[in-house]
Amino acid sequence: MKVDFKKSHDAYRARAGEFRVVEVPRMRHLMIDGRGDPNTSQKYADALASLYPVAYGLKFTSRRELDRDYVVPPLEALWWAADMTSFTSARDKSQWCWTAMIMTPDWLTEQMFADAVSAAAAKQRGVRLEDVRLESLEEGLCVQTLHVGSYDDEVDVLAEMHGQFVPGAGLRMTGKHHEIYLSDARRVEPSRLRTILRQPVERA
């Protein structure tokens, strides 16, 4: 059967209007880094154009060679800045640094990853393929919620998470702001976009 991690993995579960404390295990992702406004940065567009051919190449390899099929997980991204108010009150996207990611099942090997990159390069798919890496991320204790609406409307939710819920729960922020894009922004109108907002924390 085809595995859909959005349905089977607890880390992809969140509800709008609810801040949930969850333990996120170590997970492997295809990753690529950059900086700047994702709406205008060519590097961000190039990053996505490089991630997807590798992600789908791995899926087809898994189905063909291992007889294990799965739904390619949603696009994710880590976001950070020298001044974290650039995500809330200041909202200055030009100051954002990011790592775009797609989760990869742990049964796939480093050689399969290398082969998928080579296959994408042979088809001239993805101009930043040399920057794509396979890396583990272990976030541990996190707070997350589901935001429904445009990305720019996340401000109030993040301000409540960072300024009220996290300290009120006896926690403090530790890692990078993490977003998981459950909707395809090319096909879904902004008011209906579904995005998991995640913040790694530790006990204060």
Side-chain angles (χ1 to χ4, degrees), residues 102-123:
I102 297 176
M103 195 273 276
T104 302
D106 57 10
W107 64 72
L108 299 175
T109 66
E110 292 279 353
Q111 186 59 55
M112 290 176 176
F113 163 68
D115 291 345
V117 172
S118 296
K123 297 177 182 178

Side-chain angles (χ1 to χ4, degrees), residues 32-106:
I32 188 168
D33 303 319
R35 177 187 173 91
D37 186 339
N39 296 323
T40 59
S41 170
Q42 186 60 46
K43 282 192 173 182
Y44 188 76
D46 291 343
L48 302 195
S50 300
L51 279 178
Y52 279 107
V54 178
Y56 277 93
L58 285 169
K59 166 194 165 62
F60 298 142
T61 296
S62 180
R63 186 173 64 188
R64 181 179 64 252
E65 298 184 8
L66 304 177
D67 196 27
R68 301 184 75 170
D69 198 6
Y70 62 93
V71 177
V72 171
L75 176 69
E76 309 183 30
L78 303 177
W79 302 91
W80 70 100
D83 181 0
M84 289 298 286
T85 64
S86 65
F87 291 103
T88 53
S89 56
R91 200 63 178 176
D92 183 0
K93 297 180 183 179
S94 67
Q95 300 303 308
W96 294 359
C97 298
W98 44 264
T99 298
M101 314 188 301
I102 297 176
M103 195 273 276
T104 302
D106 57 10

Side-chain angles (χ1 to χ4, degrees), residues 6 44 48 52 56 72-76 147 149-151 180-196:
K6 295 194 305 296
Y44 188 76
L48 302 195
Y52 279 107
Y56 277 93
V72 171
L75 176 69
E76 309 183 30
H147 171 68
S150 74
Y151 302 135
I180 302 170
Y181 307 105
L182 302 179
S183 304
D184 185 341
R186 299 168 301 176
R187 301 177 180 178
V188 178
E189 62 182 65
S191 65
R192 300 180 63 186
L193 292 171
R194 299 170 67 250
T195 307
I196 294 177

Side-chain angles (χ1 to χ4, degrees), residues 128-199:
R128 295 191 59 196
L129 287 167
E130 72 280 1
D131 296 329
V132 178
R133 66 186 186 277
L134 181 61
E135 187 173 302
S136 294
L137 176 67
E138 188 167 0
E139 293 177 295
L141 195 67
C142 295
V143 174
Q144 64 185 37
T145 190
L146 178 68
H147 171 68
V148 180
S150 74
Y151 302 135
D152 285 333
D153 289 342
E154 295 173 1
V155 175
D156 291 341
V157 179
L158 291 175
E160 183 180 359
M161 179 190 286
H162 295 176
Q164 299 179 39
F165 181 83
V166 169
L171 305 168
R172 57 172 167 253
M173 299 190 297
T174 57
K176 298 169 181 175
H177 171 62
H178 189 161
E179 298 191 354
I180 302 170
Y181 307 105
L182 302 179
S183 304
D184 185 341
R186 299 168 301 176
R187 301 177 180 178
V188 178
E189 62 182 65
S191 65
R192 300 180 63 186
L193 292 171
R194 299 170 67 250
T195 307
I196 294 177
L197 307 179
R198 177 185 295 164
Q199 176 60 52

